[in-house]
Amino acid sequence: MTDRTVITFGTFDVLHVGHLRILERARALGDRLVVGVSSDALNRSKKGRDAVFSQAERLALVGALKVVDDVFVEESLDLKRQYVVSHQAHTLVMGDDWAGRFDFLSDVCEVVYLPRTPSVSTTAIIERITST
Ligand code: C2G
């Protein structure tokens, strides 16, 4: 049987346990996990602010995780279909904050939304650090 590739996307700024948990759960759905890490420009357009860590740093951190087999730069939300096809992904995993948004890809892959880990976010971490 051929290996099943899972693909997921995100900024993964100020890497935290919520990021690790979704990557672990994504990897458990297949044999190989490929992660599209948002470029600095894409992050700015999504979140309206610069990431704390540069795209090169975010790629290095995510790519070093044991559960991640490969990383690449996600340049645009509109290229999802090309990324899924070019990486020959069987399953696309997204956090449930994106629920329904990528269902249009279900003709090329299985689309799965996983629940976010409660009570942890990059924004809350930045706020905690800046207020101390
Ligand atoms: N996440 C999670 N639990 C948290 C925080 C984040 O499961 N407490 C998940 C998000 O749902 C997402 C992944 O971790 O699937 C990365 O989160 P972000 O860096 O915030 O990614 P985002 O900006 O939503 O980028 O193409 C889509 C995007 O690039 C997704």
Side-chain angles (χ1 to χ4, degrees), residues 19-69:
H19 296 143
L20 177 63
R21 295 286 176 253
I22 198 161
L23 294 172
E24 288 174 335
R25 287 177 291 156
R27 173 64 179 75
L29 296 177
D31 306 298
R32 225 178 134 254
L33 177 62
V34 180
V35 184
V37 176
S38 301
S39 68
D40 287 333
L42 173 57
N43 174 67
R44 205 172 303 124
S45 75
K46 280 190 304 190
K47 310 228 164 152
R49 61 168 165 79
D50 288 331
V52 174
F53 295 150
S54 71
Q55 74 185 51
E57 292 168 329
R58 292 180 287 106
L59 274 153
L61 287 161
V62 172
L65 297 175
K66 194 168 60 178
V67 292
V68 175
D69 296 285

Side-chain angles (χ1 to χ4, degrees), residues 8-13 16 18-19 22 25 36 38 42-43 46-47 74 77 80 93-98 102 114-122:
T8 192
F9 297 87
T11 303
F12 301 102
D13 190 28
H16 59 65
H19 296 143
I22 198 161
R25 287 177 291 156
S38 301
L42 173 57
N43 174 67
K46 280 190 304 190
K47 310 228 164 152
E74 179 194 27
L77 295 181
K80 280 270 176 329
V93 168
M94 298 296 299
D96 61 3
D97 44 328
W98 292 88
F102 298 109
L114 296 177
R116 285 167 64 91
T117 300
S119 315
V120 55
S121 73
T122 299

Side-chain angles (χ1 to χ4, degrees), residues 67-130:
V67 292
V68 175
D69 296 285
D70 201 6
V71 284
F72 64 96
V73 179
E74 179 194 27
E75 304 278 4
S76 163
L77 295 181
D78 301 330
L79 293 173
K80 280 270 176 329
R81 182 175 293 273
Q82 282 97 306
Y83 294 136
V84 166
V85 171
S86 64
H87 290 279
Q88 299 184 303
H90 299 85
T91 304
L92 167 65
V93 168
M94 298 296 299
D96 61 3
D97 44 328
W98 292 88
R101 296 273 300 276
F102 298 109
D103 289 355
F104 68 95
L105 293 171
S106 56
D107 58 331
V108 283
C109 64
E110 176 190 24
V111 182
V112 176
Y113 304 97
L114 296 177
R116 285 167 64 91
T117 300
S119 315
V120 55
S121 73
T122 299
T123 307
I125 292 168
I126 294 170
E127 279 169 10
R128 204 190 315 155
I129 292 168
T130 51

